[in-house]
């Protein structure tokens, strides 16, 4: 790549390690390499730093430190919560989740189906929202756990977790939420939310990859996913990943400080990017509800072009963005999130997600806008998908928007939304 710098718009895939976070973790890769479980001072001093990090991440989510279990990643946390609910409730064989979860959840649920469990995947509507009546109807006496993400990594759409938790509580069913996209963007208070389990992953909040946490509400029955030593108060075997844990603690502190920047400055950058694209590039549509939505995320459908081609040309000028989730890239299937919202596979293949972060600037947004409109024009000129090469000057944006919404509603109406009784 010839660019001297990167224009990074893929913060929902991973984030840059903050310099402060790197400084905090460094000593635990060099001189302070003891085992935190060892009794002698060289180990126990390291243990004190693990304790401190546990208090820092607990403060981020308003949990008690004892309710925090460090894991290797968000995927492990998601799998662990559902696994524990099933193993501690052996007569219950039913799980409820949604059609738009991260693959770290959806693929585990599909695995469970193959093991003989029953899973209900709740549908979403055209703007990616859930119908909570369907959740209410789907809960059965043999439902072990409901697992629903807080904010969608592809569209940024935010689900009403407090209401969902209340429904689950009234029916005595455990509730887990994958909150991986939330820190630094919305305030997290597990006590106010009323959740039993909550997942975070540090590499989405400016700490390294390979460290996550599972919040386990006090007095919740818990069966470890990794069985081994007594680490994590018996909830997760394996010697602690000390440097990463310390990094996570520092990043948790920074995430609280970043709330204002994400919600004011980054939101304004995102809105300018989104509004300018929708206004100046014809045949473009936002995927997902405008609000409530993460302040950093926009997912846009570009008709008549393949997202893979857009991303390739963006990459050539140093811009990092993505189609759907990094975890599904490489498969030719269109995004399961967008198809669940009623987009046709063809339209879903033309969608690009831009996810901004604290290191983005106005200049970055200008750079993307300049290149993107040229790239789309170029691709549409040669696109076999473009039936009419529409005359951009006479383009009626409002009529196209209405048509897009009608198309979505029709596609959804055709889908069988009945939930297995
Ligand atoms: C990134 C992400 C995950 C997976 O986290 P890992 O630490 O990469 O395993 C899970 N859920 C959501 C919503 C994510 O964005």
């Amino acid at each position: 790549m010839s660019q001297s710098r990167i224009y990074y718009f893929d913060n929902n895939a991973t984030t840059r390690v903050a310099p402060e976070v790197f400084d905090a973790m460094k000593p635990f890769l060099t001189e302070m390499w003891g085992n935190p479980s060892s009794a002698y001072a060289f180990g126990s001093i390291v243990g004190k730093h693990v304790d401190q990090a546990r208090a820092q991440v607990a403060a981020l989510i308003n949990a008690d430190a004892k309710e925090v279990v460090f894991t290797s990643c968000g995927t492990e946390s998601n799998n662990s919560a559902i696994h524990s609910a099933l193993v501690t409730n052996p007569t219950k064989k039913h799980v409820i989740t949604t059609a738009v979860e991260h693959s770290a959840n959806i693929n585990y649920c599909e695995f469970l189906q193959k093991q003989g469990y029953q899973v209900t995947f709740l549908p979403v509507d055209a703007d990616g929202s859930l119908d909570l009546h369907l959740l209410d109807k789907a809960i059965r006496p043999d439902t072990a756990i409901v697992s629903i993400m807080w904010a969608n990594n592809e569209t940024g759409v935010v689900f009403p977790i407090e209401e969902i938790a209340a429904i689950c509580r009234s029916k005595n069913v455990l509730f887990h939420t994958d909150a991986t996209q939330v820190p630094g963007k919305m305030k997290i208070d597990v006590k106010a939310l009323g959740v039993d389990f909550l997942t975070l992953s540090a590499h989405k909040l400016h700490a390294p990859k390979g460290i996550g946490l599972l919040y386990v509400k006090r007095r919740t029955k818990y069966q470890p996913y990794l069985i081994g030593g007594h680490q994590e108060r018996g909830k997760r075997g394996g010697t602690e990943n000390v440097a990463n844990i310390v990094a996570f603690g520092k990043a948790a502190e920074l995430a609280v400080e970043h709330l204002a920047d994400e919600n004011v400055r980054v939101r304004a950058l995102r809105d300018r990017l989104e509004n300018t694209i929708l206004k100046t590039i014809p045949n473009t549509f936002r995927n997902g509800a405008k609000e409530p939505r993460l302040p950093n995320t926009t997912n846009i459908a570009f008709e008549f072009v393949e997202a893979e081609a857009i991303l390739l040309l963006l990459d050539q000028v140093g811009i990092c963005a993505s189609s759907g989730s990094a975890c599904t890239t490489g498969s030719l299937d269109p995004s399961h999130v967008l198809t669940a919202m009623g987009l046709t596979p063809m339209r879903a293949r033309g969608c690009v997600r831009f996810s901004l972060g604290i290191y983005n600037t106005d200049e970055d947004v200008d750079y993307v806008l300049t290149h993107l409109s040229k790239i789309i024009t170029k691709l549409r000129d040669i696109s076999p998908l473009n039936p009419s090469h529409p005359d951009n000057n006479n383009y009626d944006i409002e009529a196209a928007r209405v048509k897009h919404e009608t198309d979505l509603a029709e596609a959804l109406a055709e889908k069988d939304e009945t939930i297995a009784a």
Side-chain angles (χ1 to χ4, degrees):
M1 195 184 64
S2 57
Q3 263 56 45
S4 55
R5 60 161 290 192
I6 281 290
Y7 294 82
Y8 191 74
F9 285 80
D10 205 13
N11 285 274
N12 290 9
T14 198
T15 57
R16 172 181 156 189
V17 173
E20 302 94 316
V21 168
F22 185 55
D23 286 344
M25 74 187 284
K26 250 190 295 193
F28 301 91
L29 294 168
T30 50
E31 64 270 23
M32 294 176 78
W33 47 266
N35 186 321
S37 298
S38 299
Y40 41 79
F42 183 63
S44 61
I45 180 98
V46 173
K48 293 258 182 321
H49 288 273
V50 171
D51 292 345
Q52 190 199 342
R54 197 182 304 281
Q56 286 168 313
V57 297
L60 172 68
I61 62 175
N62 193 30
D64 295 337
K66 288 175 186 167
E67 296 172 310
V68 169
V69 180
F70 285 115
T71 65
S72 67
C73 58
T75 303
E76 184 190 327
S77 301
N78 283 353
N79 287 200
S80 303
I82 297 176
H83 166 263
S84 174
L86 290 171
V87 174
T88 58
N89 295 283
T91 59
K92 299 187 176 181
K93 303 287 185 194
H94 180 229
V95 174
I96 298 173
T97 185
T98 77
V100 297
E101 299 296 308
H102 190 275
S103 51
N105 190 318
I106 224 156
N107 288 351
Y108 187 63
C109 287
E110 286 174 359
F111 163 78
L112 289 173
Q113 283 182 308
K114 293 194 191 105
Q115 305 299 305
Y117 292 95
Q118 294 183 315
V119 181
T120 299
F121 296 93
L122 296 172
V124 293
D125 65 13
D127 67 7
S129 317
L130 279 177
D131 178 349
L132 296 191
H133 295 297
L134 294 180
L135 167 63
D136 199 70
K137 264 175 47 187
I139 296 177
R140 319 190 308 211
D142 69 335
T143 305
I145 188 166
V146 173
S147 177
I148 294 180
M149 70 197 323
W150 191 347
N152 191 278
N153 48 296
E154 292 193 29
T155 60
V157 169
V158 172
F159 288 151
I161 290 307
E162 215 173 318
E163 277 176 70
I164 294 170
I167 292 172
C168 295
R169 213 163 41 246
S170 75
K171 302 221 169 179
N172 239 323
V173 178
L174 289 169
F175 177 51
H176 163 253
T177 188
D178 176 356
T180 303
Q181 288 296 341
V182 175
K185 300 164 197 161
M186 297 191 295
K187 203 166 160 251
I188 306 177
D189 181 340
V190 287
K191 296 202 168 74
L193 287 173
V195 297
D196 301 297
F197 300 106
L198 178 140
T199 289
L200 293 185
S201 174
H203 75 96
K204 306 290 173 76
L205 56 136
H206 303 288
K209 295 147 195 68
I211 184 78
L213 73 76
L214 181 66
Y215 158 79
V216 181
K217 189 179 168 187
R218 200 197 321 227
R219 287 197 281 273
T220 306
K221 272 194 269 170
Y222 191 74
Q223 170 62 44
Y225 194 61
L226 288 190
I227 298 170
H230 59 270
Q231 294 90 353
E232 302 298 307
R233 306 170 62 84
K235 289 193 170 69
R236 201 257 187 195
T239 302
E240 297 86 344
N241 187 341
V242 174
N244 274 6
I245 287 172
V246 169
F248 197 176
K250 184 67 191 173
E253 267 185 13
L254 295 178
V256 175
E257 293 170 24
H258 292 158
L259 273 173
D261 188 48
E262 288 269 9
N263 280 285
V264 179
R265 194 187 62 86
V266 176
R267 182 189 296 274
L269 291 178
R270 189 276 310 269
D271 287 347
R272 184 161 76 83
L273 177 67
E274 177 175 291
N275 293 336
T276 312
I277 292 172
L278 295 179
K279 222 164 47 205
T280 60
I281 307 181
N283 294 52
T284 53
F285 308 95
R286 184 190 58 247
N287 292 312
K290 196 169 164 111
E291 294 294 338
R293 190 165 50 134
L294 292 175
N296 76 317
T297 307
T298 179
N299 188 312
I300 300 196
F302 297 89
E303 278 201 305
F304 317 130
V305 278
E306 297 265 8
E308 295 315 309
I310 303 172
L311 295 175
L312 197 78
L313 296 187
L314 287 172
D315 187 23
Q316 286 177 1
V317 291
I319 298 167
C320 306
S322 74
S323 60
S325 142
C327 309
T328 48
T329 312
S331 78
L332 287 173
D333 295 336
S335 151
H336 67 281
V337 174
L338 300 177
T339 49
M341 289 160 61
L343 273 77
T344 60
M346 167 117 91
R347 184 171 273 174
R349 279 199 192 88
C351 298
V352 176
R353 173 188 73 186
F354 297 92
S355 49
L356 288 71
I358 51 167
Y359 297 119
N360 283 120
T361 61
D362 261 309
E363 185 214 342
D364 294 351
V365 170
D366 291 336
Y367 186 84
V368 170
L369 287 169
T370 305
H371 287 281
L372 188 62
S373 64
K374 289 182 198 155
I375 285 169
I376 299 298
T377 305
K378 177 168 159 182
L379 289 174
R380 282 187 179 155
D381 282 347
I382 58 168
S383 170
L385 301 173
N386 185 352
S388 55
H389 295 268
D391 175 1
N392 296 350
N393 296 323
N394 298 326
Y395 183 70
D396 183 345
I397 292 175
E398 182 54 22
R401 189 187 62 74
V402 170
K403 177 167 183 322
H404 173 69
E405 283 175 4
T406 326
D407 287 352
L408 286 186
E410 276 170 13
L412 277 178
E414 279 168 22
K415 279 188 6 179
D416 181 13
E417 286 191 25
T418 50
I419 294 185

